[in-house]
Amino acid sequence: MKLPSYPISTTVQKAMRLLEMIGERQPVRASEILNQSTLSRSNVYRLLSTFQKMGYLERDEDLKYRLSFKVFVLGNTIPQRNQLSEVARPFMVKLAEMCKENVNLGVRYRQKVLYIEKIESPHYLKLDQPIGSTDPLHCTALGKALLSGLSDQELRTYLKSERLIPYTKKTITDPKVLEKEIQHVRREGYSTDLEELSEGIHCIGAPIRDVSGKVIAAISISAPAIRLTRQKMRELKGPLLEASLGVSKKMGYRG
């Protein structure tokens, strides 16, 4: 049976062209979009506001727009992996073969860590998170690595707006203590979770950057604390940082 033909919705067409333009030029200011678009000023600002409220766009402190990872979540419903997962996977496989533990890839999404790729350990790990699930930022190695990429103002805004929920007795719940922890991550280049999300589980993570130097993701190793001891973390720090830098370079980072 032939389906009825309907005219194209010009509103949807304009909205999708706007998203495509931002995706090609991001991060981009509203004024730049106006210069490159045939849309009226009111249309541009209305669409930007709508997409931002819906979570498909993010605006940074320089008033520049970029696509959010909600777009990734939507796109990830199709079989293909996005570029980040494809680029990171070989490095994750190599790291997992070396350490024999879980290796995770996560991005920041709605003040959470969203798991987008994983290489599983041959060992069973309780409370292991599957791809597509989320964890808090403040008490995970992935989350701390992602928070380390925020500006000082963005970090302060996060600390003021988010309640640091205790998941174990070792969870950092004092904003000032967490701020110092993130400063330490910035200096050292890696983060840790010492039974802060789950008792008996340790993690070590590192940020991944794009061509602009912005932290866009993080990679981590997770394992039971009896295997991933502090000494073992020190031994794995080098290979982890090598992997995170390798992925970053593939994403265009030249720092």
Side-chain angles (χ1 to χ4, degrees):
M1 183 179 68
K2 185 177 180 180
L3 294 175
S5 177
Y6 295 99
I8 294 174
S9 169
T10 56
T11 301
V12 174
Q13 195 174 43
K14 291 175 182 177
M16 297 313 296
R17 283 178 177 172
L18 182 74
L19 281 184
E20 290 172 355
M21 183 183 298
I22 293 172
E24 293 169 357
R25 296 171 171 81
Q26 61 183 329
V28 60
R29 296 182 187 275
S31 59
E32 296 173 287
I33 297 173
L34 281 168
N35 291 335
Q36 298 295 323
S37 172
T38 58
L39 297 176
S40 68
R41 181 183 180 86
S42 60
N43 272 339
V44 167
Y45 279 96
R46 186 181 299 114
L47 289 173
L48 289 174
S49 177
T50 300
F51 279 130
Q52 188 177 3
K53 288 177 180 177
M54 291 179 67
Y56 289 103
L57 288 181
E58 296 175 345
R59 189 174 69 173
D60 61 27
E61 58 185 0
D62 293 325
L63 304 182
K64 291 183 178 182
Y65 292 88
R66 66 172 67 240
L67 301 182
S68 75
F69 270 96
K70 187 172 183 179
V71 178
F72 162 79
V73 174
L74 185 64
N76 202 40
T77 58
I78 61 176
Q80 295 176 340
R81 299 293 186 192
N82 79 327
Q83 181 191 7
L84 179 58
S85 295
E86 292 175 353
V87 166
R89 189 170 178 83
F91 294 92
M92 295 173 68
V93 169
K94 182 179 179 181
L95 188 59
E97 289 175 347
M98 187 275 296
C99 68
K100 307 299 182 187
E101 303 293 356
N102 277 13
V103 176
N104 316 286
L105 181 69
V107 297
R108 186 180 171 205
Y109 174 65
R110 288 189 175 180
Q111 305 297 27
K112 295 278 189 178
V113 175
L114 171 68
Y115 292 84
I116 64 171
E117 190 59 87
K118 177 181 291 290
I119 306 298
E120 293 186 351
S121 158
H123 309 290
Y124 171 74
L125 179 60
K126 70 171 185 175
L127 301 178
D128 187 29
Q129 290 286 53
I131 294 173
S133 60
T134 60
D135 266 336
L137 290 169
H138 70 284
C139 56
T140 57
L142 286 175
K144 292 176 186 177
L146 292 167
L147 288 174
S148 73
L150 299 181
S151 68
D152 289 340
Q153 182 58 51
E154 289 171 332
L155 180 59
R156 283 192 291 269
T157 299
Y158 166 81
L159 294 172
K160 287 180 181 179
S161 62
E162 293 297 312
R163 178 171 169 252
L164 306 182
I165 299 173
Y167 288 85
T168 73
K169 62 183 179 181
K170 295 184 178 180
T171 303
I172 298 175
T173 57
D174 185 332
K176 292 183 179 179
V177 175
L178 182 58
E179 185 174 12
K180 289 182 178 179
E181 176 89 352
I182 300 307
Q183 290 171 352
H184 181 267
V185 176
R186 289 172 178 169
R187 290 193 303 270
E188 300 299 322
Y190 71 97
S191 57
T192 60
D193 160 15
L194 303 173
E195 299 184 83
E196 296 166 48
L197 176 64
S198 304
E199 292 184 1
I201 302 297
H202 279 179
C203 301
I204 180 171
I208 292 171
R209 301 176 185 274
D210 65 9
V211 65
S212 69
K214 180 182 176 65
V215 173
I216 57 170
I219 187 173
S220 75
I221 300 170
S222 57
I226 57 172
R227 289 203 304 268
L228 191 56
T229 61
R230 291 174 185 262
Q231 174 59 36
K232 189 66 175 178
M233 284 183 172
R234 286 191 286 271
E235 295 173 6
L236 292 176
K237 181 181 73 172
L240 175 67
L241 292 176
E242 184 179 345
S244 67
L245 180 59
V247 179
S248 297
K249 287 183 174 180
K250 287 288 186 178
M251 297 300 293
Y253 179 60
R254 292 292 179 266

